[in-house]
C-alpha cells in the first residue's frame, strides 16, 4: 500500500488544539505514514512530536509554516525536512516570535478601543507556552460573546481592514526561503488559492517564489475542491514546482478537515517527497 502523506498541520505550539503527542496519536489512528508538523513561525513542538512519532512508528518530518511578505501581501511558506536548530532559521524565527508578541499587544489595544478589554492576558493564557495567533483572538472573542464562532470573529474583527487587524512586517519572502534552505529544508508555498489573489498575481508570486529558491507548492489541502486541485496542479506544472499535500489540520472539531484525509495528487506532477531522504524513500512502492 502507498504511504499516506500529510505535510501540513498544527499543534498547541501555535494554533492547533492538540499537543504534539495527541496529534501524533491521532495521525496514527487515521493511518498517516509520513507527517510534517508545521506550526506557525515556531519549531517548539517538534521535539515532543519526534518522541511520539518514534514510539508510534510514524515517519515525522520536521516542518514549519512561516509568515512572509511579498509586495506587502502576507504569504505562508511551509518548510519541510528542516533542521530546527539551524542558527539562521532559529534567528529568523526569534524575530517572527517577537513580531507576534508585539502584534498581539497592538491588537489588544485596538480591541480595547472598541470596548473589548483585557484581550492580551486572555490570548496569552489561551496560547499557553505557544505562539499567539489570530485564532487565539478568535477564540477569545467567541468566549467573550463578541462573535458566534471563529469565522464570525475573523469577519467582524480580525480580517484585513477590520477593527482588530494589525498589519505586521513579517520577513520578506526571499529571506524566509533562505532560512528554510539554510536549514537544509525545502520551501513550499502553502495554499496558493487562499490569498484571494488574481491569476496574474498568483503567477507573479509563484515566479518570484521559485526565483528566490522555493521548490514546491501545495496542490491538495484539507479544504480543496476538485476545481481547486485542478487549478493548483496547473500552477505547479506551469512554474515547474514540486507538488505537496497537507490537511492544515488545526482541531478535531472541524468535521471537514482531518489528518491524512486528502484527495490524491493528480497524475503528471512531481511529488515533493521525491526530495526527501531515505527514511521516506524506503516507504515508497
Ligand atoms: P496569524 O498567522 O496569527 O495571522 O493567524 C492566521 C491563522 O488564523 C491561520 O493559519 C488560520 O488558522 C486562522 N484563520 C485565518 N483566517 C481565518 C478565517 N477566516 N476563519 C478562521 N480561521 C482563520
Ligand atoms: Mn493556523
Ligand atoms: Mn496557512
Ligand atoms: Mn497552516
Amino acid at each position: 500500500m502507498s504511504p499516506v502523506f500529510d505535510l501540513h498541520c498544527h499543534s498547541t505550539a501555535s494554533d492547533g488544539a492538540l499537543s504534539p503527542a495527541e496529534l501524533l496519536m491521532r495521525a496514527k489512528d487515521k493511518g498517516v505514514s509520513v507527517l510534517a508538523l508545521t506550526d506557525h513561525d515556531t519549531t517548539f513542538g517538534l521535539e515532543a512530536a519526534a518522541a511520539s512519532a518514534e514510539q508510534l512508528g510514524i515517519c515525522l518530518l520536521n516542518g514549519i509554516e512561516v509568515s512572509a511578505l511579498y509586495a506587502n501581501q502576507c504569504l505562508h511558506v511551509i518548510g519541510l525536512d528542516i533542521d530546527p536548530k539551524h542558527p539562521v532559521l532559529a534567528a529568523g524565527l526569534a524575530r517572527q516570535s517577537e513580531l507576534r508578541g508585539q502584534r498581539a499587544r497592538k491588537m489588544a489595544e485596538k480591541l480595547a478601543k472598541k470596548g473589548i478589554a483585557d484581550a492580551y492576558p486572555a490570548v496569552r493564557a489561551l496560547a499557553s507556552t505557544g505562539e499567539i495567533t489570530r485564532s487565539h483572538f478568535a477564540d477569545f472573542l467567541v468566549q467573550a460573546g463578541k462573535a458566534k464562532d471563529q469565522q464570525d470573529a475573523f469577519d467582524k474583527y480580525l480580517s484585513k481592514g477590520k477593527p482588530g487587524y494589525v498589519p505586521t512586517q513579517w520577513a520578506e519572502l526571499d529571506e524566509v526561503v533562505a532560512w528554510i534552505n539554510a536549514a537544509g529544508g525545502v520551501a513550499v508555498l502553502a495554499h496558493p488559492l487562499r490569498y484571494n489573489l488574481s491569476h496574474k498575481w498568483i503567477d507573479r508570486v509563484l515566479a518570484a517564489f521559485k526565483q528566490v529558491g522555493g521548490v514546491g507548492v501545495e496542490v491538495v489541502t484539507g479544504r480543496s475542491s476538485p476545481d481547486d486541485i485542478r487549478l493548483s496542479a496547473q500552477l505547479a506544472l506551469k512554474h515547474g514546482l514540486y507538488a505537496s499535500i497537507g490537511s492544515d489540520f488545526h482541531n478535531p472539531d472541524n468535521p471537514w478537515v482531518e489528518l491524512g484525509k486528502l484527495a490524491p495528487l493528480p497524475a503528471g506532477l512531481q511529488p515533493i517527497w521525491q526530495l526527501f531522504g531515505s527514511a521516506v524513500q524506503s516507504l515508497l512502492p
Side-chain angles (χ1 to χ4, degrees):
M1 230 174 62
S2 313
V4 174
F5 288 88
D6 190 335
L7 305 178
H8 183 164
C9 64
H10 297 272
S11 76
T12 47
S14 65
D15 56 355
L18 304 184
S19 69
E22 290 167 335
L23 190 77
L24 266 289
M25 278 190 278
R26 193 174 181 95
K28 180 75 184 177
D29 187 48
K30 302 296 174 189
V32 175
S33 351
V34 181
L35 186 79
L37 173 58
T38 55
D39 276 306
H40 295 288
D41 299 300
T42 180
T43 59
F44 190 72
L46 294 176
E47 217 172 284
S52 296
E54 168 112 54
Q55 277 178 6
L56 296 165
I58 289 185
C59 178
L60 180 82
L61 292 175
N62 286 324
I64 186 141
E65 181 172 18
V66 187
S67 314
L69 287 183
Y70 176 73
N72 235 13
Q73 163 73 43
C74 179
L75 302 169
H76 285 177
V77 181
I78 300 283
L80 296 173
D81 215 5
I82 51 167
D83 168 9
K85 294 202 162 70
H86 193 280
V88 170
L89 177 65
L93 296 179
R95 173 77 189 131
Q96 299 275 107
S97 176
E98 231 172 83
L99 290 171
R100 281 192 175 275
Q102 290 166 5
R103 178 184 68 159
R105 286 194 155 80
K106 284 186 206 154
M107 286 176 69
E109 283 167 23
K110 289 190 81 173
L111 289 172
K113 284 185 187 141
K114 290 280 158 191
I116 303 171
D118 300 326
Y120 185 78
V123 293
R124 185 59 281 171
L126 283 171
S128 181
T129 54
E131 290 297 328
I132 300 174
T133 71
R134 281 186 293 161
S135 307
H136 298 106
F137 276 91
D139 290 342
F140 160 72
L141 288 164
V142 173
Q143 285 172 17
K146 301 294 177 185
K148 64 176 194 294
D149 53 27
Q150 274 208 356
Q151 184 61 54
D152 190 41
F154 273 89
D155 292 346
K156 281 192 184 133
Y157 295 101
L158 302 174
S159 295
K160 197 169 182 173
K162 300 296 170 181
Y165 182 80
V166 172
T168 309
Q169 279 301 314
W170 305 116
E172 289 293 324
L173 184 64
D174 60 339
E175 296 178 84
V176 168
V177 173
W179 302 344
I180 290 167
N181 287 341
V186 298
V188 171
L189 188 80
H191 42 67
L193 306 183
R194 227 185 285 160
Y195 307 112
N196 293 324
L197 298 174
S198 66
H199 285 280
K200 189 175 97 180
W201 265 98
I202 195 66
D203 272 333
R204 269 193 206 168
V205 163
L206 287 168
F209 181 64
K210 183 160 180 171
Q211 169 77 29
V212 299
V215 295
V217 61
E218 272 184 354
V219 169
V220 178
T221 80
R223 286 190 281 166
S224 303
S225 70
D227 277 347
D228 292 343
I229 295 172
R230 260 192 299 278
L231 184 54
S232 307
Q234 282 169 10
L235 290 171
L237 283 174
K238 178 171 181 182
H239 292 275
L241 292 164
Y242 287 85
S244 189
I245 167 169
S247 62
D248 203 5
F249 178 88
H250 283 75
N251 71 72
D253 302 336
N254 182 341
W256 310 110
V257 175
E258 184 54 80
L259 289 169
K261 197 176 135 197
L262 289 155
L265 270 187
L269 299 176
Q270 302 285 332
I272 193 86
W273 44 87
Q274 290 180 351
L275 302 176
F276 301 148
S278 54
V280 172
Q281 300 312 317
S282 68
L283 298 174
L284 294 173

